[in-house]
Amino acid sequence: MKQRRPLAVRAGPLLGLALAIMLSPASGATQRRFALLAGNDRGGPDTRPLLYASQDARRLHAVLTQLGGVSSGDAELLINRSAGDFLRALAKIEARIVEAQRRGERTMLIVYYSGHAKDGELRLGDTRVGFADLRARLVASPADIRVGIFDSCRSGLITRSKGARHAPAFEIEASGSEETRGLVLLTSASADEDAQESDEIGGSYFSQYLVSGLRGDADRSRDRRVTLSEAYAYAYARTVAETAESTAGAQHPTFSFDLKGNADLVLSDLGSRREGLYIPTPAPAGIYYLVDANGFIAAEVMKPADGDRQIALPPGKYHVRRRLADRLRIGELRVSEGQVTVLDEARLKDAPFSDDPVKGGRREPGIEVTLSLGGTMQAFFDAPTRDSLFPPTGLFAGEVQIRNFFRRGWMWGLDLAAGKASGQVTRLETPFPFRFSEFTAGTTMAAEWALFDRSLYPYVGVRLAYLLLNRTFDDPTIPAQYFSTFSPGLVVGLRYTLWSDFSVLGRGRLHYLLYNIDGNRSLGYWELTAGLAYDF
Amino acid sequence: MKRLIPLLALGLSACGNYSNEDLDFQLALPQDGELEAKLPQAISVSDSAEYYVITRKVVTEFNAIARALVGLVDKVRGISPTSRKGSQRIWGPWDDDRHPGWQIRVLMDRVDNPGVPSGFNISYNVQVRSTQIAGAEFADFMAGSYAPSGNARRGQGEQHLYIQNMRDIGYPVEDFDQLVQLDLCYQTEQYPMVVHMFAQNQDTAKERQITYDYEEAADGSGTLYFDITTDRTLSSFDLRFISRWLGSGAGRADAYAVNRNDLLAGTDCWGPDTRATLSWRIDEGAKNSHESSLCAFAEPTDLEAPTCGPGSGQR
């Protein structure tokens, strides 16, 4: 299981790392890199939804395709997909690896997973993949080099295997000149630890620091290339330090490998993209957070007092933040295409902690989409209207709810409903039976709250509906009638998560309808809905 | 004012013809077939009774006129009023496709009338006006009214077709030959149901006036009074033709020369197969003494039709 921690405490020693593995794609034959990255916010029964697992996968995907030598066509990103999808995608990539090898290309496969894990299995929604099975799959994979990175609770289980070495920091004696082949596994936590994610950094600790390291902050050798061991050492040190005083306890990433041969294993080449940020030596020491336009931390930079730092960033606008004991230093900068922006300390300004640009933005959970289907009962309050004009109607209703689209905690709904009923209008004591049909389309904007460990979601909002009402009389001499109009209303709803991605919902609506055919009449109607919802 | 803007927007967005009140207007219009005469045996054989054949021909003409009148207003039943103002509904005006340069509109008004079971009457007017003449007023092409009884489908009504008015304003009415005005009234609230038609032709017409009176009983029997008032030249005489039939199809018709002191000019009786069971003409002398056993009906004792509306009793 992976746990969320709202606030990280920075403490603990920075572990020294000895660089050993230097496996470079540039040496020897051409190396083609493939990547499969999966992020699952939901882990099925007995787990609480994660906020940042899918975002972790997206960020690592961005780094690998921007700096990691993985072409976008060779990178597969799976967000909230099933185990079946994961294994099928892996098989598809392996088939392409075999094709590449037939052409004489050397190959590397990077498999990354961020999400829940429990009882020795990765939890991809309601589906599972066993650690042992996945490890065996990677061992048997045709790629020359296989790198597995697992950011989940007790992910260290996958590194417990005969023949693999396991250490917080590692050193490999380089010898020989043969091409490197084998398996490397990185995990975010040891076999008995929870992996933690944090609102403070807007992601899981391990993945966040791995990404920051690959963007350049882990480049201790200053050769503009971040090797696997540099990235791991950086992520290890930062993760242990930041989680040391957390209530869940320190989280220790693990590393194991089974490699033959000797070459540099460079995970990101900072020289492959010219854009980035340069923090010169005179700039104050400390941790600089670079927050992208979406409010997510794109990278962290640990600036030493006696040295400079450069990290690769995609073009765009960034907020920069450095935290002092009593205030923040914040500012904005733009990274332009093909240019390295130099941080000018003079352009940062003091700000209280309440102006932290990271607040809100980076804590935003991603957009969530829910499809609900249900039955709706609708009736007008006015008895004469109900009896002879618009009879009570049962409708089959469907709604797509999009959460956090406009802002966090807001739900935007688009709904359709259709239904039929029978009615009768009496004129001069003569009954005229009719068949009534209704079609509605509506849009809802509601504020939603997550209660009881995100299992109960009440919401209140407003809705604007378009109604098309028809009736056809049994008497064929009377022509069919219709009425269409827009109708504003209020919505109150409740969604309760039954299991994993499924929930039950109840919803009530109160609507106003201006009927203007037989004179202007202000009418009101109510709707009650019960249904099932599925979260995509 | 600002509070009214959303309501105004909703009102403008609303459209349709979903109306209970419109039903009152639509039900006021006679339906296709409602005013037509129903002759049980709508067949004739080579030896059908002569007066049966005449009866059938008159019924066909009667029904054609009834359909034409109903057809004039029936189109508005299928479409929404263009505007609703209180107790008034207006359809149109539209350009007259058949007669360029003219517009047509239909007005229907609901008028309170405590004197009828329903408490209201519906009046309607089909009007035309020239678009070629500035400021031209709408003129009645047809006017009608309907007073529903306690049942929405039953009541009394009348329609008037003002053909001469149309000629006077230049509206093309060539289809109506020498007709000046056609009046129709009907009551369908109880049996026998009655439909009366009176056609006034121009003075130059040989047949000056034609009157149809139709009665329909609940058992399917019916009576048709058919009168023609001619120019009364020596060679013509005014005709009154009274045809009665049973639900079985058997019937009797008597022809009278009105301007000859209602002289009985001929009688035919027929059976369900429309063949004559008795046939007598004035030039044959005395009638068959077994007439009562050969005919479904006795000779009429009252030549006046139990009719309604203008033209009633005119000869």
Side-chain angles (χ1 to χ4, degrees), chain A residues 388-390 425 427-430 432 434 436 469-471 473 475 477-488 512 514-518, chain B residues 7 10-24 26-27 31 77-80 84 89 110 118 120 148-153:
Chain A
S388 67
L389 204 63
F390 306 125
V425 56
R427 308 302 290 179
L428 296 172
E429 300 179 3
T430 308
F432 293 94
F434 61 82
F436 177 81
L469 312 167
N470 294 278
R471 64 176 172 183
F473 290 88
D475 184 335
T477 66
I478 302 176
Q481 296 182 340
Y482 79 96
F483 178 64
S484 65
T485 190
F486 286 95
S487 167
Y512 169 81
L514 178 62
Y515 171 78
N516 63 350
I517 305 299
D518 291 338
Chain B
L7 285 177
L10 287 176
L12 291 174
S13 69
C15 63
N17 62 345
Y18 203 108
S19 166
N20 285 348
E21 292 181 4
D22 281 1
L23 294 180
D24 294 338
Q26 291 164 336
L27 294 170
Q31 300 176 73
R77 195 203 307 273
I79 54 179
S80 306
R84 299 177 176 83
R89 301 290 186 272
R110 176 181 162 135
S118 63
F120 67 89
S149 66
N151 183 303
R153 282 291 192 201

Side-chain angles (χ1 to χ4, degrees), chain A residues 451-511:
Chain A
L451 305 177
F452 302 109
D453 292 336
R454 296 170 63 85
S455 62
L456 194 65
Y457 296 85
Y459 61 90
V460 176
V462 294
R463 177 173 180 259
L464 181 64
Y466 171 78
L467 287 84
L468 178 59
L469 312 167
N470 294 278
R471 64 176 172 183
T472 305
F473 290 88
D474 292 355
D475 184 335
T477 66
I478 302 176
Q481 296 182 340
Y482 79 96
F483 178 64
S484 65
T485 190
F486 286 95
S487 167
L490 302 174
V491 182
V492 176
L494 196 62
R495 193 164 57 95
Y496 177 71
T497 302
L498 280 181
W499 69 92
S500 184
D501 299 325
F502 287 94
S503 52
V504 292
L505 66 88
R507 180 178 62 223
R509 294 172 178 156
L510 289 177
H511 267 263

Side-chain angles (χ1 to χ4, degrees), chain B residues 152-212:
Chain B
R153 282 291 192 201
R154 300 289 177 212
Q156 298 184 42
E158 60 183 52
Q159 290 184 337
H160 309 281
L161 203 56
Y162 303 113
I163 301 303
Q164 189 58 46
N165 288 359
M166 295 296 98
R167 283 194 191 93
D168 294 344
I169 65 171
Y171 185 74
V173 287
E174 64 276 9
D175 293 347
F176 294 91
D177 197 15
Q178 299 189 73
L179 184 65
V180 171
Q181 181 170 328
L182 180 67
D183 301 302
L184 175 145
C185 70
Y186 58 94
Q187 77 81 15
T188 57
E189 59 187 313
Q190 62 185 15
Y191 285 106
M193 294 193 297
V194 175
V195 181
H196 164 78
M197 283 186 204
F198 173 70
Q200 175 68 54
N201 285 332
Q202 291 175 321
D203 291 342
T204 55
K206 183 174 180 61
E207 297 170 345
R208 300 283 174 79
Q209 297 173 336
I210 301 174
T211 307
Y212 304 86

